[in-house]
Every structure is written in structure tokens, then in C-alpha cells.
Amino acid sequence: MRYSSFLLSLSLHCAIVLLVFFWPSSPPVRLDMPVVQVDLVSLGAPGGPKAPPAPAPGPAQP
């Protein structure tokens, strides 16, 4: 009885370790699809419209 429970425990532990190693963590990469390129920043032309000047700080109005 003791020997069979040892083998059962060992096989369950091995199965859990193998499950951790071989479980797919992400979907497979499709290498036959074209690459999609995305512009993260689109800059305007240099010297574009200027922002209005900020008002000068002064005393708070009541």
C-alpha cells in the first residue's frame, strides 16, 4: 500500500511539473501573415500653430 501511494504521488507531481512546462502561455505566432506596422506618434509640420500665451499669475480673485 505504501509503495503504491508513493508511485501515485510521484506520478501526480511529475504530471503537474510537465503541465507547467508544456502548457501554452500564448497563442502560436502566425508566420505566414504580413507584418503590421503602426505609427505610435504622428508629428505635425515644424513651425505649426502656436499656443496662446498663458496669463500671468496674479493674486486670486475673491
Side-chain angles (χ1 to χ4, degrees):
M1 182 71 183
R2 186 175 176 137
Y3 182 71
S4 62
S5 64
F6 171 75
L7 285 179
L8 179 65
S9 175
L10 183 66
S11 63
L12 286 176
H13 279 85
C14 288
I16 291 173
V17 168
L18 290 174
L19 185 70
V20 167
F21 280 119
F22 292 112
W23 190 268
S25 60
S26 62
V29 178
R30 298 276 313 263
L31 296 177
D32 59 342
M33 301 291 288
V35 177
V36 177
Q37 294 184 357
V38 178
D39 291 333
L40 296 179
V41 178
S42 49
L43 300 174
K50 302 284 184 196
Q61 298 293 331

